[in-house]
Amino acid sequence: MPGGPLGGPPGGWDPGEPSGAGVRLRRMELVHSGKIRDVYADGDDILLVASDKVSVYDVVLPTLIPDKGKILTQLSLWWFDQLSGLVPNHVISGTDVPPQWAGRAIRCRRLNMLPVECIARGYLAGLGLDSYRATGTISGVPLPTGLAEGSRLPEPVFTPTTKAVVGHDEFMDFGDVEAAVGADVASELRRLTLEVYRRGAEIAAGRGVIIADTKLEFGKASDGTIVLADEVLTPDSSRFWSAAEWRPGGPQRYMDKQFVRDWSATITGWDRKPPGPEVPQDIVDATRARYIEVYERITGTRW
Ligand SMILES: Nc1ncnc2c1ncn2[C@@H]1O[C@H](COP(=O)(O)OP(=O)(O)O)[C@@H](O)[C@H]1O
Ligand SMILES: [Mg+2]
């Protein structure tokens, strides 16, 4: 897709230009193409490149939200920095990236990713709510009875899932995590996930934003250190609610692609399967404005 959202052809990219002090002429290989982001290998580093694509109900829509990839990348970098005292992270540079991806790419240490989606929840929503309604537990963690949709949990819980290659992620109980990564690493994942969530939620709360839940990914460095990877505390990996409008007892207003989601629900005849519908300009504009609002509120800086 020349000139596309990622601004480069899939399958590799040759910087071709001298960079910094030394001449660097190496080809980046596309090693993974996700729904929203692409991952390129560059020697021992990887580049995570976020597109402007948006998905609803897991379907990527044909319309782009201008700057979304940059906004989420910059928000992630901001969080990595805020959290650097709690946990090592994979960021090498947010600026040493090919010019065509400036702002939307992060150069990272390539890690051995641990096969667990490390989810922390402070509020009841989404699949966690479904599981609670069916069993009174999430990932085997028992919760008090009588909680409603959107309720705050007595304390944040670690509710990991599998990282499904195909199909949907499934909840794992703590024993499943221990079986997958070993008891020591499992405890460390739970501790770090809850610490990152608590610290992030506290910072966001100070700015009027509830982080209801979040999904983190960790990897192992060659020396065995557990390192926070992927993206962190963005609207693509977390549920953000406006604290002023929080009303447990029903669905909350989301501070991200709510406009696209609400609008798509009005499209009669769309069965929530690909291909998704084209998004009209006013919905695109409102969605872009919302991403900027989230960025500005949380970081306290202008976009
Ligand atoms: N530092 C890292 N080293 C290696 N892989 C990473 C690192 N950070 C993130 N990843 C992986 O990069 C991929 C990013 O893909 P993503 O955009 O989330 O697409 P999807 O989840 O839809 O496949 C994920 O598989 C994630 O585990
Ligand atoms: Mg992912």
Side-chain angles (χ1 to χ4, degrees):
M1 57 178 102
L6 293 181
W13 183 78
D14 188 345
E17 290 282 315
S19 158
V23 175
R24 192 168 62 200
L25 267 175
R26 56 189 180 214
R27 190 175 161 77
M28 297 188 189
E29 291 299 334
L30 180 67
V31 291
H32 176 85
S33 190
K35 284 202 287 279
I36 306 296
R37 292 174 302 159
D38 284 340
V39 184
Y40 289 81
D42 183 19
D44 290 339
D45 305 346
I46 58 161
L47 277 105
L48 278 176
V49 188
S51 72
D52 290 341
K53 292 178 199 163
V54 66
S55 68
V56 279
Y57 309 113
D58 276 341
V59 175
V60 177
L61 301 180
T63 316
L64 302 177
I65 308 296
D67 294 331
K68 172 178 178 275
K70 286 187 181 172
I71 298 166
L72 297 200
T73 297
Q74 296 308 309
L75 183 59
S76 216
L77 281 168
W78 185 85
W79 278 119
F80 276 122
D81 193 39
Q82 295 291 310
L83 300 164
S84 61
L86 282 184
V87 56
N89 66 59
H90 70 162
V91 175
I92 296 172
S93 173
T95 51
D96 180 15
V97 301
Q100 71 203 96
W101 295 333
R104 65 173 72 249
I106 306 182
R107 177 178 296 277
C108 306
R109 276 195 275 168
R110 188 172 195 166
L111 303 167
N112 256 329
M113 297 304 287
L114 293 162
V116 180
E117 304 259 34
C118 292
I119 298 170
R121 297 171 186 273
Y123 294 77
L124 206 47
L127 294 176
L129 174 67
D130 296 346
S131 172
Y132 171 74
R133 283 182 169 157
T135 66
T137 68
I138 313 175
S139 295
V141 180
L143 296 172
T145 53
L147 296 174
E149 176 171 13
S151 285
R152 182 172 187 163
L153 302 177
E155 59 181 350
V157 289
F158 178 57
T159 61
T161 70
T162 56
K163 225 166 111 68
V165 179
V166 284
H168 285 289
D169 297 341
E170 306 278 350
F171 285 113
M172 301 170 87
D173 64 26
F174 194 68
D176 298 330
V177 181
E178 289 180 320
V181 299
D184 293 350
V185 173
S187 300
E188 197 57 1
L189 290 180
R190 178 169 60 190
R191 183 182 72 79
L192 290 171
T193 301
L194 291 173
E195 272 194 30
V196 166
Y197 173 76
R198 280 203 190 91
R199 182 78 188 111
E202 177 186 307
I203 292 173
R207 286 135 198 222
V209 176
I210 288 175
I211 302 180
D213 51 40
T214 195
K215 184 217 64 172
L216 305 174
E217 289 188 40
F218 295 88
K220 256 189 186 174
S222 45
D223 67 357
T225 316
I226 294 176
V227 178
L228 181 60
D230 209 53
E231 62 185 321
V232 63
L233 297 170
T234 71
D236 275 3
S237 64
S238 324
R239 285 191 171 81
F240 286 25
W241 299 338
S242 162
E245 294 168 54
W246 173 56
R247 300 281 179 278
Q252 307 299 308
R253 183 174 82 92
Y254 289 97
M255 295 195 62
D256 56 2
K257 52 194 171 191
Q258 183 82 51
F259 295 109
V260 188
R261 225 185 264 119
D262 288 353
W263 161 82
S264 74
T266 69
I267 307 289
T268 46
W270 184 45
D271 55 2
R272 298 185 178 178
K273 298 204 177 80
E278 286 279 355
V279 185
Q281 190 63 42
D282 57 328
I283 304 295
V284 170
D285 293 345
T287 303
R288 178 174 183 277
R290 181 57 63 73
Y291 280 112
I292 290 174
E293 183 194 335
V294 168
Y295 174 88
E296 293 188 339
R297 270 229 234 174
I298 289 187
T299 67
T301 60
R302 299 282 303 168
W303 171 245

